[in-house]
């Protein structure tokens, strides 16, 4: 854990090379600085040394390992980089530059529109009406702030979050962290692929569903189709990075049009919508609505998306040796992310509003009667009782078809297909970034795609074979819990590393953002842990309770370890064991011009 320690009794070598960049940044990426080093060094090897220092300058605490790795980082999707146009005049804002930086934020925003989010939206509308729209708005704003941290890390260091974890964490914690993030990606990918399969099933249905059951595309076949077309679409970047980003933009546009059509057709009450969005109160809400609010936060803020965004921003040409260019890139990426998440928020609002207006407090018998009259009876979906209607992606399409005609069902299915297809592709990119970053893989592109897809697709295919399309709600709840548990393994590292001055230089988090970011992450993690506890306590099994207790102990121990490192990075030096030995904070020296802080 304590890397490169050097005894104070040993004399310091002469001709010490002092790097002005973070030591973990590969120097071969900065030709100008490498040239300066060669000129000043003549033929004598320079030494980057460690010594003691306390609260002077942007140094890294000793608990963080800083590996020197001059090998270029593996590329998943950056075989070309998008150039940023030069401006003749000094302007505070340039549309040309914003267009050059547009792309990564919209790919990131797709995680806010995946089938898991869509299902959370429709359940929020059907269970609470418009009353939880303010929770969706707040979660989206928190997500924007977290994505800002991810983008800044990628721009400033030239590495994404998984690569930084590889260089900063010891081996065992790094492997555990990788496994936890992989679990989150697998859980998310299962929801996305099954969402596509459900969309194919709905598109192959007709008005008289009972008579055409045998003509539908089964769930397992929809999964296989999704696997094949995803492999095809993943290689679109061979035809140009901007074309790939345009394809994702097309899928987002399809979602906006399809869900927007449902919104216009249902015509929800705009006054109730605005009240639910800007009044943070849920009148008459109980445990069901509170649990759903927790589910909204968990569906919006996804762990693998932090890793994804920190990697996507590397696709732009930014000279990191120039502070002005780095600052400019951070600004435009933040603006672009804000626009992208605003679009995703509107699409989510469309879905919530449709189900809030049309299906809030509807009973099963009421829906069954409407479906029966419309010639689309589904007795297996809507039992003959007065219980409140519970919907998922599949049932949502069915009830839309019953109440507003077959066109509404097909348009809904097209929107779900676009959501599932786009999120499956970005989920695959996330898996590649995470695996190659944590494990420092140097495999071929096809081998990486095949491995990451196999890890996620195998359990999905098994579920599709043994599960019916009408009984997936329980599995979806389990996957939401799984992803909620993995959230600390993205939020804690991103706050940790963006707070390290030795890594971020002048772009490290300030005191306000450290405190605010820490509190936000604490609240988000606490909300998601509540969601996990609610799910576990509903299992009603002593053996499962015992198993959950043992797993919780191991889980909380590892989270506590990450929190300990995060607090040290945030400046709580009393937790650093090396600081207790005479303030001996072992670090890598990085010279600042005047050594002023």
């Amino acid at each position: 854990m304590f890397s490169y320690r050097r005894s104070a009794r040993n004399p310091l070598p002469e001709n010490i090379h002092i790097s002005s960049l973070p030591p973990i940044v590969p120097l071969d990426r900065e030709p100008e600085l490498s040239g300066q080093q060669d000129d000043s060094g003549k033929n004598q090897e320079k030494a980057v040394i460690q010594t003691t220092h306390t609260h002077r300058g942007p140094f890294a605490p000793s608990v963080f390992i800083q590996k020197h790795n001059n090998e270029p980082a593996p590329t998943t999707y950056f075989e070309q980089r998008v150039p940023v146009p030069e401006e003749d005049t000094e302007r505070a804002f340039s549309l040309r530059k914003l267009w050059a930086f547009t792309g990564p934020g919209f790919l990131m925003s797709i995680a806010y529109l995946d089938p898991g989010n869509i299902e959370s939206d429709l359940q929020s509308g059907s269970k609470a009406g418009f009353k939880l729209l303010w929770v969706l708005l707040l979660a989206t704003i928190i997500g924007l702030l977290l994505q800002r941290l991810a983008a800044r890390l990628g721009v400033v260091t030239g590495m994404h979050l998984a690569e930084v974890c590889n260089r900063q964490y010891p081996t065992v914690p790094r492997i555990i962290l990788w496994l936890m993030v992989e679990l989150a990606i697998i859980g998310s990918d299962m929801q996305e692929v099954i969402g596509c399969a459900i969309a194919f099933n709905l598109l192959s249905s007709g008005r008289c569903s009972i008579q055409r059951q045998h003509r539908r595309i089964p769930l397992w076949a929809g999964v296989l189709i999704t696997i094949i077309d995803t492999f095809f679409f993943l290689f679109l970047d061979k035809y140009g990075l901007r074309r790939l980003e345009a394809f994702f933009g097309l899928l987002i546009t399809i979602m906006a049009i399809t869900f927007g059509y449902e919104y216009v057709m249902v015509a929800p009450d705009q006054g109730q919508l605005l009240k639910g969005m800007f009044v943070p109160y849920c009148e008459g809400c109980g445990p069901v609505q509170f649990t759903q609010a927790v589910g909204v936060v968990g569906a919006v803020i996804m762990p693998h998306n932090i890793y994804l965004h920190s990697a996507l921003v590397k696709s732009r040409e930014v000279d990191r040796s120039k502070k002005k260019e780095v600052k400019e890139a951070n600004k435009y990426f933040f603006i672009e992310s804000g626009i992208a998440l605003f679009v995703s928020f509107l699409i989510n609002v469309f879905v919530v509003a449709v189900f809030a207006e049309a299906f809030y407090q509807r009973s099963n018998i009421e829906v069954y009667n409407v479906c029966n009259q419309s010639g689309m009876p589904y007795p297996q979906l809507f039992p003959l009782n007065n219980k409140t209607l519970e919907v998922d992606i599949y049932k949502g399409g069915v009830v839309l078809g019953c109440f507003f005609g077959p066109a509404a069902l097909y348009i809904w299915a097209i929107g779900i297909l676009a959501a599932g297809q786009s999120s499956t592709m970005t989920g695959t990119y996330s898996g590649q970034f995470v695996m190659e970053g944590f494990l420092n893989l140097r495999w071929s592109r096809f081998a990486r795609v095949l491995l990451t897809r196999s890890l996620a697709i195998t359990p999905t295919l098994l579920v599709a074979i043994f599960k019916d399309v009408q009984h997936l709600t329980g599995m979806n709840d389990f996957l939401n819990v799984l992803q909620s548990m993995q959230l600390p393994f993205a939020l804690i590292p991103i706050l940790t590393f963006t707070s390290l001055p030795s890594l971020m230089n002048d772009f490290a988090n300030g005191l306000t953002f450290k405190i605010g970011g820490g509190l936000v992450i604490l609240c988000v993690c606490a909300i998601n842990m509540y969601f996990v506890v609610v799910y576990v306590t509903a299992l009603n099994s002593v053996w499962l309770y015992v198993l959950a207790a043992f797993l919780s102990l191991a889980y909380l121990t590892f989270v506590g370890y990450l929190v300990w490192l995060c607090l040290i990075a945030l400046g709580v030096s009393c937790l650093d064991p090396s600081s207790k030995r005479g303030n001996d904070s072992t670090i890598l020296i990085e010279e600042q011009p005047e050594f002023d802080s």
Side-chain angles (χ1 to χ4, degrees):
M1 179 182 295
F2 298 92
S3 61
Y4 309 116
R5 291 187 62 90
R6 184 181 185 89
S7 172
R9 293 174 295 182
N10 296 337
L12 300 179
E14 298 180 359
N15 297 325
I16 298 172
H17 165 57
I18 307 294
S19 171
S20 61
L21 286 176
I24 67 171
V25 177
L27 295 179
D28 61 340
R29 298 186 186 180
E30 304 291 347
E32 298 179 5
L33 295 177
S34 299
Q36 295 173 6
Q37 296 166 6
D38 294 337
D39 293 339
S40 61
K42 306 292 183 180
N43 294 321
Q44 188 171 1
E45 184 180 357
K46 311 297 183 183
V48 178
I49 67 162
Q50 290 181 290
T51 185
T52 60
H53 196 280
T54 305
H55 304 297
R56 295 181 61 193
F59 298 127
S62 64
V63 292
F64 293 103
I65 295 176
Q66 303 210 3
K67 299 179 183 178
H68 295 264
N69 187 353
N70 290 329
E71 296 182 16
T75 59
T76 298
Y77 128 104
F78 314 114
E79 294 186 1
Q80 62 169 302
R81 294 181 185 267
V82 177
V84 179
E86 300 262 343
E87 293 284 350
D88 297 333
T89 59
E90 294 290 336
R91 291 189 296 177
F93 181 78
S94 168
L95 286 176
R96 291 180 63 228
K97 287 190 175 183
L98 178 61
W99 177 249
F101 284 105
T102 296
F106 281 90
L107 268 69
M108 168 273 297
S109 71
I110 287 173
Y112 292 72
L113 296 168
D114 70 348
N117 271 284
I118 301 301
E119 181 159 319
S120 174
D121 292 337
L122 61 89
Q123 289 176 347
S124 174
S126 64
K127 293 179 180 179
F130 300 98
K131 300 174 186 178
L132 296 180
L133 278 174
W134 65 272
V135 178
L136 177 63
L137 176 61
L138 181 62
T140 304
I141 294 173
I142 293 174
L144 175 61
L145 297 178
L146 295 174
Q147 300 300 157
R148 172 183 177 269
L149 294 180
R152 285 170 70 88
L153 180 71
V155 170
V156 175
T157 66
M159 295 180 292
H160 57 73
L161 181 55
E163 292 173 324
V164 176
C165 290
N166 176 274
R167 288 157 172 77
Q168 295 285 348
Y169 285 130
T171 302
V172 174
R174 184 176 75 244
I175 297 301
I176 296 175
L177 195 60
W178 167 64
L179 292 174
M180 294 298 101
V181 178
E182 282 292 345
L183 281 177
I185 294 174
I186 291 173
S188 174
D189 210 23
M190 288 180 68
Q191 289 179 314
E192 294 154 359
V193 173
I194 288 177
C196 286
I198 290 174
F200 284 122
N201 185 277
L202 288 173
L203 287 171
S204 60
S205 67
R207 278 186 69 89
C208 300
S209 58
I210 293 180
Q211 290 77 13
R212 298 188 55 178
Q213 288 286 347
H214 65 284
R215 299 176 60 182
R216 292 187 174 205
I217 298 176
L219 198 62
W220 62 267
V223 169
L224 291 178
I225 294 173
T226 305
I227 295 171
I228 294 171
D229 62 29
T230 299
F231 269 106
F232 172 75
F233 289 132
L234 280 172
F235 289 92
L236 281 178
D237 62 328
K238 291 290 185 181
Y239 299 96
L241 182 58
R242 297 297 268 178
R243 288 188 175 91
L244 176 68
E245 293 173 345
F247 177 72
F248 280 102
L250 173 63
L251 294 177
I252 294 175
T253 303
I254 291 173
M255 284 184 271
I257 293 174
T258 53
F259 297 136
Y261 168 84
E262 308 281 3
Y263 178 85
V264 172
M265 182 178 56
V266 173
D269 187 328
Q270 302 301 308
Q272 291 296 319
L273 186 147
L274 293 175
K275 178 183 177 181
M277 188 180 299
F278 296 109
V279 178
Y281 180 67
C282 189
E283 183 180 358
C285 292
V288 173
Q289 288 75 23
F290 182 74
T291 303
Q292 184 59 43
V294 172
V296 169
V297 177
V300 168
I301 303 173
M302 306 182 70
H304 71 275
N305 211 33
I306 306 296
Y307 289 87
L308 174 68
H309 197 198
S310 65
L312 294 175
V313 296
K314 294 169 56 180
S315 60
R316 267 52 183 176
E317 288 185 356
V318 177
D319 187 351
R320 293 185 295 107
S321 64
K322 297 179 181 178
K323 181 178 177 181
K324 178 184 175 183
E325 288 196 20
V326 174
K327 185 176 181 180
E328 182 180 71
N330 285 331
K331 178 181 73 174
Y332 284 110
F333 275 132
F334 181 67
I335 295 173
E336 186 239 0
S337 298
I339 296 172
L341 290 188
F342 176 72
V343 172
S344 71
F345 173 71
L346 287 182
I347 295 174
N348 283 312
V349 168
F350 290 161
V351 178
V352 174
V354 166
F355 284 83
E357 181 70 25
F359 307 113
Y360 177 47
Q361 294 181 333
R362 295 270 188 179
S363 65
N364 285 320
I365 185 65
E366 185 179 0
V367 174
Y368 173 80
N369 290 333
V370 173
C371 289
N372 192 40
Q373 293 173 5
S374 65
M376 301 177 65
Y378 285 81
Q380 70 277 22
L381 289 183
F382 311 112
L384 300 177
N385 57 45
N386 289 318
K387 291 184 178 180
T388 303
L389 173 69
E390 293 186 3
V391 291
D392 52 26
I393 290 178
Y394 178 74
K395 291 181 182 178
V398 170
V399 295
L400 283 172
C402 292
F403 279 76
F404 302 103
L409 183 151
Y410 291 128
I411 292 173
W412 170 263
I414 292 172
I416 296 298
L417 180 61
Q421 189 64 72
S422 57
S423 56
T424 299
M425 294 170 62
T426 55
T428 303
Y429 281 126
S430 299
Q432 294 179 68
F433 290 136
V434 166
M435 182 172 290
E436 68 191 17
F438 275 108
L439 305 182
N440 198 26
L441 294 180
R442 291 295 184 272
W443 292 3
S444 68
R445 174 185 175 85
F446 179 78
R448 294 198 305 267
V449 172
L450 183 62
L451 178 60
T452 52
R453 292 308 296 157
S454 299
L455 287 175
I457 290 302
T458 302
T460 307
L461 192 57
L462 292 175
V463 168
I465 292 173
F466 296 105
K467 273 280 191 179
D468 186 76
V469 69
Q470 301 165 11
H471 303 91
L472 293 174
T473 302
M475 187 207 69
N476 190 65
D477 291 341
F478 171 76
L479 293 177
N480 285 335
V481 168
L482 178 66
Q483 293 175 80
S484 297
M485 292 182 65
Q486 313 311 318
L487 198 57
F489 305 126
L491 302 189
I492 295 176
I494 193 64
L495 180 63
T496 300
F497 297 132
T498 53
S499 299
L500 283 175
S502 63
L503 182 63
M504 300 293 290
N505 287 334
D506 295 334
F507 298 95
N509 294 331
L511 179 61
T512 302
F513 212 94
K514 286 179 182 179
I515 297 175
L519 292 176
V520 166
I521 290 175
L522 177 63
C523 292
V524 170
C525 292
I527 288 172
N528 282 273
M529 287 305 101
Y530 171 83
F531 185 61
V532 173
V533 170
V534 169
Y535 179 82
V536 172
T537 53
L539 296 177
N540 295 323
S541 173
V542 176
W543 293 107
L544 290 177
Y545 290 158
V546 173
L547 177 62
F550 279 107
L551 293 177
S552 298
L553 181 62
Y555 174 84
L556 293 175
T557 300
F558 186 59
V559 171
Y561 170 79
L562 296 179
V563 170
W564 170 60
L565 294 180
C566 183
L567 290 175
I568 293 175
L570 292 176
V572 187
S573 58
C574 63
L575 296 178
D576 188 349
S578 63
S579 66
K580 298 178 182 178
R581 293 189 290 271
N583 288 329
D584 178 19
S585 181
T586 306
I587 45 84
L588 290 174
I589 289 186
E590 297 181 75
E591 185 184 56
Q592 303 297 317
E594 298 282 340
F595 265 102
D596 57 19
S597 57

